[in-house]
Amino acid sequence: MRSIERTVALRLRQDRWFHVFGVLCTLLGVATLCALLGSLLLDGLGRIDWSFLSSFPSRRAGQAGILSALVGSLLVMLVTAAVAVPLGIAAGVYLEEYARKNRLTAIVEINIANLAGVPSVIYGLMALGVFVYAFGFGHSILTAGLTLAALILPIVIVATREALRTIPRSIREASYALGATKWETVWHHLLPYSMGGIATGIIIGLSRAIGETAPLVTIGALAYIAFLPDAPFTSEPPFVSFAWLQSDFTVLPMQMFNWVSRPDPAFHANAAATGVVLIAITLSMNALAIFVRYRMRRSIKW
Amino acid sequence: MTQSKEIQPRETPGALASARFGAPAGRPLGDAVSPDAAPAGVDVCESTDAEPRPGPALADVKVQLRNFGFSYGSHRVLKNLNVDFENKKVTALIGPSGCGKTTLLRAFNRMHDLYAGNTYEGEILLLPERINLVGPDVSPTEMRMRLSMVFQKPNPFPKSIFENVAFGLRMRGVKDAAAIRSKVEQSLKDAALWEETKDRLHKPAYDLSGGQQQRLCIARALAVDPEIVLFDEPTSALDPTATLRIEELIESLRSRVTIIIVTHNMQQAQRISDWTGFLYLGEMIEFDRTEKMFTNPGSKLTEQYITGRFG
């Protein structure tokens, strides 16, 4: 009787120990994030105003702004999304719905999974060799967009496949039984029903891409850009211009990195402010992803 | 009328031949001259000769199994089936779980083509053209355009009620909005769902109850004017009231379209079908008029099954 009490007490103590340990581990993670955000906000929030967002970088820290980096990030993301979204969805649909399950597709699948784990700087090296030198795109918005598209392609493919996999077989069979072809089934049913998951994957991918620095450093992106690329719309026909694709550019993380490496502490405040903007963008993208997923989950339940 | 039809399976081949020529309704011209085209006997399973003999003829055959077999990979699930399904009648397929009845049903609209490693043998001939549904050069999509299927669990698309019914029409290239609207209305009426849905056609189909969803699936299947409607245990996921409504619905479709229904429920087979086939371990043990099957089965195995001795 005594020994049972003792072992129970011992085991309960063990239980409590882990409880405390678990809370500490969790708090450590949250506290790190809070400290990071807090110090960033403390240093940078004061610098953020309209002129900071709408000025070009400058030698004088007080007058410097992130306009070119903001526009650069936006345009690079535009190229990235325009390339990675159709390619990623098409590849995901192919692998999930069309490809016969054999050794070749198994190898392709393993490669795609591995691709997601390749360090981003390696993508930069690949881009330097292929886009900058072989294709002669230079260190342009086009090169940067293509590089980041390659980086997030696996994320989009995997998200597409997972989203398609959640659609029950019975829905596919209902469509085929009504005489739909594979493509009609994909177009009228599978893609619309999996859009929530796919969109989430795209947003997560883009929010990763927008914070990437290493591959862009590798392709030779400039940090100091005091001009905007050509406008994508013109007053003369054909009214759209793609000259901006060839333009030099900078992006938010590059601008931030540049300012951090200056000795003058006034620039460090600029860097912190850029960090705040960057974090605000990624967090709101993630929030959008969560919202999209929530909306889709609510409207479609299998 | 019922009387004369009922004795047909007992008639001799000679008497049959004249009966066949006497009732040419709905038969293709080439049918009578080709010996191969004679309707396969419903009792062929029990005969030893592989050649289809002019067995007890149905007045009007819609689809014919000729030495039909099916395998999932190397597992042969259906063996040497020779059965005629009568046009615009209800044929029930019964048998214990795993006997292959759903497999057979899904062969008609080539659902097995969606998954790798499945093989068909023999023929499923669709009359009057005598197209082999499972022929290697016959497109599954083309065959699915002529048949409809209602699945075990209601599987409406997560779209509006209207779009669910309209989808099959859109797949058939119908563009005219008015034509689609009137066909959707007609189909929902045929499926006894119009009164409940006419005010919310553009609301999600998922808002409907299970029984309503299954009737929606039936409306969807009827909208495309199929020659055959395949029902795969359509009431197994429904409560008794909803089941009754579906059975009434099938009753009302009799004489309009050929119906093949797989059911676990022997009372259901008895209530709604004209013909019943009893499948066991992939073979058609018995195929006969439903009344005969349930009152005076020809095989010991059938009797044991329908009296609940196994399965």
Side-chain angles (χ1 to χ4, degrees):
Chain A
M1 212 49 212
R2 260 248 73 121
S3 72
I4 289 182
E5 272 170 29
R6 204 157 346 122
T7 49
V8 168
L10 186 75
R11 284 161 52 215
L12 284 177
R13 210 172 317 135
Q14 247 178 8
D15 206 29
R16 273 195 298 279
W17 266 113
F18 185 78
H19 190 117
V20 172
F21 182 66
V23 167
L24 283 177
C25 288
T26 313
L27 281 182
L28 194 69
V30 176
T32 314
L33 187 69
C34 284
L36 247 166
L37 276 177
S39 81
L40 210 57
L41 285 172
L42 213 63
D43 293 345
L45 201 58
R47 264 305 272 124
I48 296 179
D49 52 23
W50 179 244
S51 83
F52 182 71
L53 296 178
S54 63
S55 305
F56 289 110
S58 159
R59 275 183 298 130
R60 280 178 291 277
Q63 288 168 18
I66 54 169
L67 179 64
S68 53
L70 209 53
V71 172
S73 277
L74 206 76
L75 291 177
V76 169
M77 282 309 107
L78 203 66
V79 176
T80 302
V83 174
V85 169
L87 286 184
I89 293 180
V93 166
Y94 170 76
L95 285 172
E96 204 54 40
E97 302 296 324
Y98 282 79
R100 291 214 169 263
K101 305 281 173 252
N102 57 25
R103 190 174 292 239
L104 189 69
T105 47
I107 291 171
V108 170
E109 280 171 24
I110 290 169
N111 270 310
I112 287 170
N114 284 337
L115 223 50
V118 171
S120 59
V121 69
I122 307 289
Y123 281 93
L125 275 181
M126 181 274 294
L128 187 67
V130 177
F131 301 135
V132 179
Y133 293 131
F135 293 173
F137 292 160
H139 30 76
S140 60
I141 290 178
L142 180 63
T143 302
L146 291 175
T147 310
L148 295 181
L151 186 76
I152 69 165
L153 200 56
I155 301 175
V156 179
I157 294 174
V158 170
T160 304
R161 298 190 61 185
E162 308 238 310
L164 288 172
R165 240 177 278 164
T166 61
I167 300 174
R169 217 169 82 160
S170 64
I171 292 290
R172 291 180 176 78
E173 291 186 349
S175 172
Y176 288 123
L178 284 166
T181 60
K182 197 165 267 194
W183 171 247
E184 285 162 341
T185 302
V186 166
W187 184 252
H188 292 286
H189 299 291
L190 304 183
L191 280 182
Y193 308 158
S194 56
M195 247 328 135
I198 296 175
T200 309
I202 292 168
I203 298 167
I204 300 284
L206 287 178
S207 79
R208 178 177 166 196
I210 204 168
E212 276 297 341
T213 326
L216 302 184
V217 172
T218 318
I219 62 170
L222 306 176
Y224 181 85
I225 296 286
F227 57 87
L228 287 183
D230 297 322
F233 302 103
T234 56
S235 55
E236 286 141 45
F239 301 113
V240 283
S241 148
F242 289 101
W244 56 272
L245 282 173
Q246 272 122 49
S247 173
D248 275 334
F249 70 100
T250 189
V251 291
L252 289 168
M254 295 264 322
Q255 183 67 69
M256 190 175 162
F257 176 69
N258 174 265
W259 278 333
V260 167
S261 54
R262 304 268 186 107
D264 182 353
F267 279 111
H268 295 176
N270 283 355
T274 314
V276 171
V277 173
L278 194 57
I279 283 190
I281 292 175
T282 47
L283 286 187
S284 48
M285 283 171 90
N286 286 350
L288 181 69
I290 291 167
F291 175 72
V292 166
R293 194 161 38 186
Y294 168 76
R295 278 288 303 273
M296 287 311 264
R297 285 236 178 101
R298 220 179 36 169
S299 65
I300 297 178
K301 13 183 195 312
W302 304 115
Chain B
M1 184 67 191
T2 326
Q3 190 69 23
S4 76
K5 266 193 184 158
E6 197 164 13
I7 55 166
Q8 269 187 18
R10 297 276 152 264
E11 276 177 338
T12 58
L16 256 169
S18 58
R20 211 150 53 81
F21 288 117
R27 287 198 157 271
L29 281 174
D31 210 275
V33 287
S34 154
D36 198 45
V42 287
D43 294 316
V44 171
C45 270
E46 286 168 13
S47 76
T48 44
D49 52 343
E51 217 165 286
R53 66 187 162 95
L58 305 171
D60 185 6
V61 177
K62 183 61 202 170
V63 65
Q64 263 182 346
L65 303 184
R66 293 290 195 87
N67 297 320
F68 179 73
F70 179 81
S71 308
Y72 288 116
S74 58
H75 179 46
R76 199 147 171 257
V77 187
L78 295 172
K79 295 158 204 142
N80 203 31
L81 303 181
N82 289 283
V83 179
D84 289 6
F85 294 86
E86 196 175 0
N87 197 16
K88 301 189 175 171
K89 288 284 187 270
V90 179
T91 304
L93 297 172
I94 61 168
S97 299
C99 70
K101 54 194 191 302
T102 293
T103 304
L104 173 58
L105 194 77
R106 289 165 62 88
F108 283 101
N109 70 346
R110 304 280 297 263
M111 276 291 122
H112 300 300
D113 289 52
L114 300 177
Y115 309 100
N118 301 326
T119 42
Y120 305 99
E121 335 155 9
E123 298 175 314
I124 300 180
L125 298 176
L126 185 64
L127 274 65
E129 301 97 318
R130 307 189 68 77
I131 304 175
N132 179 15
L133 280 179
V134 295
D137 49 350
V138 171
S139 137
T141 303
E142 200 186 315
M143 288 303 107
R144 290 179 198 136
M145 301 285 261
R146 301 179 58 174
L147 279 69
S148 278
M149 184 154 183
V150 176
F151 295 81
Q152 194 168 353
K153 267 172 63 186
N155 56 351
F157 300 123
K159 293 179 184 276
S160 70
I161 293 167
F162 184 91
E163 280 306 319
N164 263 280
V165 184
F167 181 70
L169 299 169
R170 297 197 197 283
M171 288 304 99
R172 280 150 186 81
V174 184
K175 293 269 192 313
D176 178 18
I180 291 180
R181 247 198 323 274
S182 74
K183 191 73 200 174
V184 167
E185 178 177 340
Q186 187 53 49
S187 309
L188 286 169
K189 281 177 176 163
D190 290 344
L193 195 60
W194 177 250
E195 287 306 316
E196 292 148 85
T197 56
K198 64 182 174 192
D199 298 323
R200 47 170 175 159
L201 287 177
H202 299 284
K203 291 274 171 3
Y206 279 28
D207 292 352
L208 299 173
S209 72
Q212 287 173 325
Q213 287 188 14
Q214 193 63 306
R215 274 181 280 143
L216 178 65
C217 292
I218 295 176
R220 184 172 71 181
L222 293 176
V224 296
D225 293 323
E227 296 167 45
I228 303 174
V229 183
L230 309 165
F231 286 91
D232 183 9
E233 297 186 38
T235 60
S236 63
L238 304 180
D239 63 53
T241 320
T243 299
L244 184 67
R245 298 205 67 169
I246 303 278
E247 287 187 12
E248 284 168 357
L249 187 49
I250 293 172
E251 189 68 46
S252 73
L253 296 173
R254 183 203 303 269
S255 82
R256 264 186 54 187
V257 60
T258 307
I259 290 174
I260 305 175
I261 176 168
V262 162
T263 176
H264 249 114
N265 181 331
M266 270 163 295
Q267 286 75 40
Q268 184 169 68
Q270 218 170 342
R271 281 192 297 264
I272 62 177
S273 69
D274 303 284
W275 295 89
T276 300
F278 172 55
L279 277 155
Y280 183 65
L281 299 177
E283 287 179 79
M284 191 66 79
I285 304 298
E286 193 168 347
F287 189 92
D288 213 330
R289 291 216 156 263
T290 300
E291 301 146 60
K292 165 140 194 326
M293 189 87 141
F294 282 94
T295 50
N296 183 21
S299 137
K300 191 91 189 132
L301 209 55
T302 314
E303 189 188 332
Q304 284 175 342
Y305 180 70
I306 61 178
T307 52
R309 225 78 60 82
F310 73 99

